[in-house]
């Protein structure tokens, strides 16, 4: 028996991630509107949809006109395929040669970064009597995935059983000059291959930041990740996308502690005076950064309540001094967009990371609750 099916109507944890599907749809609409009808939008929902729950948000994105749903890994693609037998799914990352048969069997569109990968996918397609769809990854300077070798790229397009539907690269976003150099390198390679008879339905290089800041690099497909979730990384352009996530928990227990008593491992926080503290069931295993110690806060009844002591794997203790009315069961917002709530932007600054990492860290443990 599937126990999670059995109990699906119950909220199994007090720590949840609320996702606003209307906001996701609106962000997608804004992106499509900005890019115009000639540019396909391929939302990137790797890392469990940047923490928003890939399976839960996928239908909203498809209904909003996504050309593909892009993920980083084969396992992420399979998770989506299990839920959606017919969705077009694109794998941005490297799939090991030994697993190419799965790519063919599940009709994933695969990124190919060199000739040996193209040959593996081709062999798998021939074995299955199918055509595998793939995009070529051109290395224009990032030096992560891809090659910049006309002969090898051309040969990749000539393998039996493959439809090379697209060609792409990724910007390092170093500066305007370097971006242009990368873009020009991609365009030059496409022109060389086209001169030899290749044709590509999709050509793409822009992620969230570049599609807003550099309209000239949108080509005919864009790959927004962060932007879909309202995370604004752009600098030059602007798009009023909104954050779609509220991460929240509830008070499970309240302790009245005496001045001088400690809280948590090593008693790293000690009460300067008699203090009322509340325990909440979330921790670094839920993706809350451990280095929020001495910096983080949770918003209860609209008031910022500091997290006390070290962040544990599953629990956090907060100071309830300024919310005397707080009781067991009350909600505390960990990240949100309301008044006095910690935004993803603030969280990334406090934890010394970037916005994508803050949300992607909330991988799978807290249940997702979708609101429409
Ligand atoms: C993750 C990723 C994206 C999306 O990046 P954002 O900065 O979140 O928009 C686009 N393209 C590739 C190849 C990626 O790996």
């Amino acid at each position: 028996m599937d126990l999670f099916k059995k109990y699906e109507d119950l909220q199994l944890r007090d720590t949840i991630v609320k996702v606003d599907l209307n906001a996701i749809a609106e962000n997608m609409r804004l992106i499509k509107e900005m890019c115009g009808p000639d540019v396909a939008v391929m939302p990137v929902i790797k890392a469990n949809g940047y923490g928003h729950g890939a399976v839960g948000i996928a239908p909203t994105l498809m209904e909003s006109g996504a050309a593909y749903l892009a993920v980083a890994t084969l396992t992420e693609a399979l998770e989506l395929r299990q839920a959606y037998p017919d969705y077009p799914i694109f794998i941005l990352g490297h799939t090991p040669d030994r697993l190419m048969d799965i790519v063919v069997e599940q009709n994933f569109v695969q990124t190919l970064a060199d000739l040996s990968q193209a040959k593996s996918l081709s062999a798998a397609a021939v074995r299955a009597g199918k055509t595998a769809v793939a995009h070529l990854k051109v290395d224009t300077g990032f030096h992560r995935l891809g090659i910049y070798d006309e002969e090898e790229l051309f040969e990749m397009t000539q393998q039996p059983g493959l439809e090379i539907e697209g060609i792409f690269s990724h910007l390092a976003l170093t500066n305007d000059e370097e971006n242009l150099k990368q873009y020009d390198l991609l365009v030059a390679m496409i022109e060389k291959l086209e001169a030899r008879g290749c044709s590509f339905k999709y050509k793409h290089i822009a992620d969230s930041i570049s599609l807003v800041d550099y309209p000239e690099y949108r080509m005919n497909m864009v790959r927004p990740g962060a932007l879909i979730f309202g995370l604004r990384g752009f600098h030059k352009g602007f798009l009023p996308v909104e954050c779609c996530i509220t991460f929240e928990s509830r008070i499970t227990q309240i302790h009245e502690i005496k001045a001088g008593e400690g809280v948590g491992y090593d008693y790293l926080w000690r009460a300067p005076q008699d203090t009322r503290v509340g325990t909440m069931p979330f921790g670094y295993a839920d993706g809350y950064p451990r280095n929020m110690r001495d910096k983080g806060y949770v918003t209860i009844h609209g008031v910022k309540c500091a997290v006390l002591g070290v962040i544990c794997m599953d629990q956090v203790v907060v100071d309830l001094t300024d919310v005397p009315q707080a009781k067991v069961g009350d909600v505390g917002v960990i990240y949100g967009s309301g008044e006095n709530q910690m935004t993803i932007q603030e969280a990334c600054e406090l934890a010394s990371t970037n916005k994508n990492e803050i949300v992607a860290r909330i991988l799978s443990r807290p249940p997702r609750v979708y609101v429409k």
Side-chain angles (χ1 to χ4, degrees):
M1 190 199 314
D2 185 334
L3 291 180
F4 289 92
K5 264 244 107 48
K6 178 173 180 189
Y7 302 127
E8 73 182 344
D9 295 336
L10 303 171
Q11 189 181 303
L12 294 174
R13 275 193 73 196
D14 279 343
T15 299
I16 60 167
V17 173
K18 270 195 203 155
V19 177
D20 182 347
L21 294 177
N22 290 340
I24 289 185
E26 176 60 11
N27 292 345
M28 183 70 183
R29 192 191 67 74
L30 287 165
I31 294 166
K32 282 189 72 87
E33 185 182 69
M34 177 180 240
C35 295
D38 300 332
V39 177
V41 178
M42 172 157 74
V44 179
I45 56 170
K46 59 195 180 188
N48 199 21
Y50 289 50
H52 296 63
V55 167
I57 63 175
T60 301
L61 293 169
M62 289 304 295
E63 286 156 21
S64 304
Y68 281 105
L69 299 177
V71 293
T73 68
L74 179 66
T75 46
E76 292 174 341
L78 285 170
E79 199 189 350
L80 284 172
R81 177 59 77 236
Q82 177 129 298
Y84 310 109
D86 303 321
Y87 279 9
I89 297 170
F90 189 105
I91 301 176
L92 291 164
H94 171 256
T95 297
D97 291 351
R98 67 179 188 281
L99 302 175
M100 289 298 192
D101 292 292
I102 302 177
V103 171
V104 174
E105 201 167 303
Q106 299 301 330
N107 302 314
F108 296 143
V109 175
Q110 177 63 48
T111 296
L112 293 175
D114 67 29
L115 180 58
S116 82
Q117 289 168 21
K119 286 187 165 164
S120 304
L121 183 62
S122 161
V126 169
R127 271 195 295 280
K130 288 171 72 171
T131 300
V133 181
H135 288 211
L136 303 183
K137 184 79 187 268
V138 181
D139 180 11
T140 54
F142 207 124
H143 299 331
R144 189 170 64 168
L145 212 52
I147 49 171
Y148 200 83
D149 180 317
E150 183 190 336
E151 274 318 308
E152 188 170 343
L153 287 163
F154 179 72
E155 212 177 317
M156 289 165 76
T157 67
Q158 301 300 304
Q159 303 302 311
L162 292 192
E163 179 196 341
I164 303 298
E165 182 200 49
I167 184 163
F168 73 110
S169 189
H170 196 64
L171 292 172
L173 294 172
T174 308
N175 56 43
D176 287 4
E177 191 187 334
E178 294 287 351
N179 293 342
L180 181 61
K181 213 189 276 175
Q182 284 194 269
Y183 174 75
D184 284 346
L185 280 171
L186 176 62
V187 170
M189 183 58 78
I190 292 172
E191 281 170 0
K192 283 185 199 156
L193 293 169
E194 284 176 344
R196 296 174 71 168
C198 300
S199 78
F200 306 100
K201 180 176 174 195
Y202 291 120
K203 305 165 189 181
H204 45 115
I205 196 166
D207 63 1
S208 295
I209 292 175
S210 37
L211 87 84
V212 177
D213 285 350
Y214 304 96
E216 63 275 27
Y217 299 158
R218 287 178 198 150
M219 307 184 87
N220 70 353
M221 179 176 253
V222 292
R223 308 187 303 265
L227 207 59
I228 295 287
F229 305 105
L231 305 174
R232 303 175 177 185
F234 43 73
H235 313 284
K236 297 163 176 261
F238 181 77
L239 196 63
V241 291
E242 297 283 357
C243 188
C244 312
I245 204 168
T246 309
F247 188 20
E248 62 180 46
S249 190
R250 286 174 190 274
I251 300 172
T252 47
Q253 194 168 36
I254 291 177
H255 296 271
E256 312 273 356
I257 64 174
K258 296 263 172 274
E261 290 182 350
V263 163
Y265 288 114
D266 301 321
Y267 293 165
L268 282 182
W269 184 85
R270 282 184 187 270
Q273 69 234 353
D274 292 1
T275 309
R276 195 164 170 261
V277 302
T279 306
M280 304 193 106
F282 71 93
Y284 60 79
D286 295 297
Y288 192 69
R290 198 166 171 279
N291 62 354
M292 280 290 187
R293 182 184 145 207
D294 298 334
K295 291 177 270 193
Y297 61 87
V298 168
T299 306
I300 301 172
H301 296 298
V303 175
K304 295 181 182 184
C305 301
V307 303
L308 306 175
V310 293
I311 311 295
C312 300
M313 189 183 273
D314 322 294
Q315 298 188 85
V316 157
V317 176
V318 302
D319 186 346
L320 298 178
T321 303
D322 297 328
V323 272
Q325 74 274 38
K327 56 184 191 311
V328 167
D330 285 358
V331 169
V333 175
I334 304 163
Y335 307 142
S337 318
E339 200 177 340
N340 276 337
Q341 296 176 0
M342 188 183 293
T343 61
I344 303 298
Q345 176 65 37
E346 185 180 2
C348 85
E349 285 162 14
L350 291 177
S352 315
T353 177
N354 71 358
K355 294 188 280 280
N356 285 2
E357 190 187 349
I358 288 291
V359 287
R361 272 187 188 185
I362 316 172
L363 268 179
S364 62
R365 199 164 73 162
R368 268 63 181 172
V369 176
Y370 295 96
V371 285
K372 240 188 150 151

